[in-house]
Each structure stands twice: as C-alpha cells, then as structure tokens.
C-alpha cells in the first residue's frame, strides 16, 4: 500500500468535477487527461442501449426483485459509493446478492481474501445468499447499473468502477491512470476471465483500454460480453 499519495475519500472530491478538469481530482498528479474524440458517440450508444435494455429487461428485473425479497429480509437494491472518471464519486446500484450486513462483515473476512491489491474476492463467500450466487454467476446482479449508465455515472464499456476503500489499497501509482476514462459496466477484465485473473492482470487490462480507447474497441468488448456472461467464467 502506498503511503504518500491521495486518499480516495468522498470528501476530497469536488462534487461537480467536470470530466474536462482532471486537476479537481484527488488523483490529478497520476491521472493524465485523455482526449476521447468519439465521446459523443460513446455517450449516445450508452443512452440508446441502456434505455432499450431497461425496457426489455423490466419483467426479468421485477422477478429478480421479488425473489430477493422472498429469500431474505432487507432492501432489493444494494447501493454503494463508487468512483467514476477522475475519481468523482457516485452511488452505484446492484441487486443485493449478500446479507444486509455484508459491508460490516468484510473487515472480519479479510483473512479469507483471495486477491491482492485493491480487490476483495472470496470464491465461496459466506455472506452470499442462494439467489445471490445465481445472480453473481450470470452477472444479473449488475442489471441495475443500467440506470447508472442512463444517468451518466457509468459508460457501458470502461474500467470497472471501484469503491474508495479498494482504491486506497492500490500499491502502484500507475493504477490511477485507469480513472482517466469513463468507468464502465463491462470491459476487458470482464470478457477476459474476471475473478480468474490476478489483480495485476486486471489493472494491466484497464491500462491497455485507457491507452487504446476507441469506439470500435467498445463495440468489440460489448459483442464479447454476452458470451462471457453466459459462460459465467470467473464470476463469483
């Protein structure tokens, strides 16, 4: 873990930080300003696809919500602060796949963590519910993130949005470069094995995306996403 570096706390991020003003980011020293010529097309694709997907998947999402409510007490949605482009915080939505006190239990389970760096993963996480395991297996728990895409918090494609707690455990300043582009629902990590990869491999894929970002790379990743979801490789 780094010692002399900015801390990813919500308080240190200017709430209205514009995407064109990386100097307002707590990671400004380490995050380059990346020009994205196709940003308008990327945003248009985000709006059209997320809106259509929410309409088509509404019945499925209603069924999932009912199953979650029937299996265990607590809210249907899990809300967590994540960091977007340049470290701007936002509330990310997911279907709840764990017990209500999962966040409070995480520090007690750190000895079971199977990943290094800023990742926390346990293959057989004891906090998981039965329906939650199925949702995680096929990434159905992430469907509510389409609302984040529609709002502009996320893009369909980009590095996975991370929580401040996980970012604070980065042990390499180069990893902050992943925040130079919009964070996404899917990306190279998701279509390349997800949790089967090491944390270092995950970061390398994110940095590759930042350095080679293009509209056609986004399309290629989107086309690979559905087969990756159906296989369920590395999803837990």
């Amino acid at each position: 873990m780094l010692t002399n570096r900015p801390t990813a706390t919500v308080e240190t991020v200017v709430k209205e930080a514009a995407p064109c003003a990386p100097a307002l980011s707590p990671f400004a020293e380490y995050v380059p300003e990346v020009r994205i010529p196709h940003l308008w097309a990327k945003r248009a694709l985000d709006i059209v696809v997320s809106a259509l997907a929410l309409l088509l998947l509404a019945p499925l999402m209603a069924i999932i919500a009912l199953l979650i409510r029937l299996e265990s007490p607590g809210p249907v949605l899990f809300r967590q602060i994540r960091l977007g482009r340049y470290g701007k915080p936002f509330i990310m939505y997911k279907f709840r796949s764990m017990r209500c006190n999962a966040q409070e239990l995480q520090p007690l389970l750190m000895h079971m963590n199977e990943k290094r760096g800023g990742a926390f993963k346990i293959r057989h996480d004891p906090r998981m519910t039965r329906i939650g395991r199925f949702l995680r297996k096929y990434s159905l728990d992430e469907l509510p993130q389409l609302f984040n895409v529609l709002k502009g918090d996320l893009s369909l494609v980009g590095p996975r949005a991370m929580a401040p707690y996980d970012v604070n455990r980065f042990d390499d300043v180069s990893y902050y470069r992943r925040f130079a582009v919009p964070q996404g629902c899917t990306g190279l990590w998701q279509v390349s094995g997800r949790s089967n990869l090491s944390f270092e491999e995950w970061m390398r894929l994110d940095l590759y995306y930042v350095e080679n970002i293009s509209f056609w790379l986004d399309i290629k990743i989107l086309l690979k996403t559905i087969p990756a979801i159906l296989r369920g490789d590395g999803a837990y």
Side-chain angles (χ1 to χ4, degrees):
M1 182 181 297
L2 298 172
T3 54
N4 297 320
R5 52 85 187 273
T7 301
T9 60
V10 177
E11 291 78 14
T12 59
V13 182
V14 176
K15 290 185 178 180
E16 299 301 325
C20 61
L24 296 178
S25 166
F27 316 137
E29 181 180 354
Y30 308 109
V31 180
E33 183 173 3
V34 175
R35 290 180 57 82
I36 307 176
H38 68 285
L39 187 61
W40 65 271
K42 184 178 178 67
R43 181 60 187 147
L45 182 68
D46 288 345
I47 294 172
V48 171
V49 173
S50 61
L52 287 176
L54 285 169
L55 286 174
L56 294 174
L57 296 173
L60 174 61
M61 294 175 72
I63 293 173
I64 291 173
L66 178 61
L67 292 174
I68 293 172
R69 184 55 69 88
L70 290 174
E71 182 182 12
S72 62
V76 168
L77 292 179
F78 170 70
R79 299 173 175 83
Q80 186 182 49
I81 294 176
R82 297 290 179 98
L83 301 180
R85 190 179 187 189
Y86 299 133
K88 181 178 180 180
F90 67 95
I91 302 296
M92 192 183 75
Y93 309 113
K94 297 179 69 173
F95 280 124
R96 181 171 59 84
S97 59
M98 293 185 173
R99 295 161 52 181
C100 289
N101 62 341
Q103 290 293 101
E104 290 75 15
L105 291 174
Q106 181 169 325
L108 302 177
L109 300 174
M110 288 302 296
H111 66 285
M112 299 175 63
N113 188 15
E114 300 173 11
K115 300 294 181 182
R116 297 189 303 169
F120 181 83
K121 286 288 184 179
I122 303 174
R123 187 174 296 274
H124 301 291
D125 198 315
R127 302 170 298 167
M128 199 85 67
T129 62
R130 287 177 299 173
I131 184 65
R133 293 189 189 281
F134 178 80
L135 296 178
R136 287 282 188 98
K137 176 70 174 177
Y138 297 104
S139 300
L140 295 174
D141 61 313
E142 300 188 359
L143 288 179
Q145 290 178 32
L146 291 170
F147 288 108
N148 289 120
V149 174
L150 200 57
K151 289 171 56 183
D153 299 326
L154 290 173
S155 179
L156 288 171
V157 180
R160 184 179 181 85
M162 300 180 71
Y165 174 81
D166 294 324
V167 174
N168 286 340
R169 295 191 293 134
F170 280 3
D171 55 9
D172 187 332
V173 294
S174 69
Y175 296 162
Y176 289 108
R177 290 161 48 210
R178 69 192 301 281
F179 292 103
V181 300
Q183 308 295 278
C185 292
T186 186
L188 289 173
W189 176 71
Q190 287 88 335
V191 301
S192 303
R194 287 191 278 191
S195 297
N196 289 334
L197 303 178
S198 68
F199 182 74
E200 290 76 15
E201 289 171 325
W202 172 8
M203 292 297 105
R204 280 199 294 271
L205 288 172
D206 283 351
L207 297 182
Y208 176 88
Y209 177 81
V210 171
E211 294 166 0
N212 297 275
I213 187 170
S214 71
F215 184 76
W216 298 115
L217 179 57
D218 282 5
I219 296 297
K220 182 178 179 181
I221 292 171
L222 284 172
L223 292 176
K224 288 184 175 183
T225 295
I226 294 179
I229 289 174
L230 294 176
R231 290 194 303 271
D233 293 339
Y236 57 87

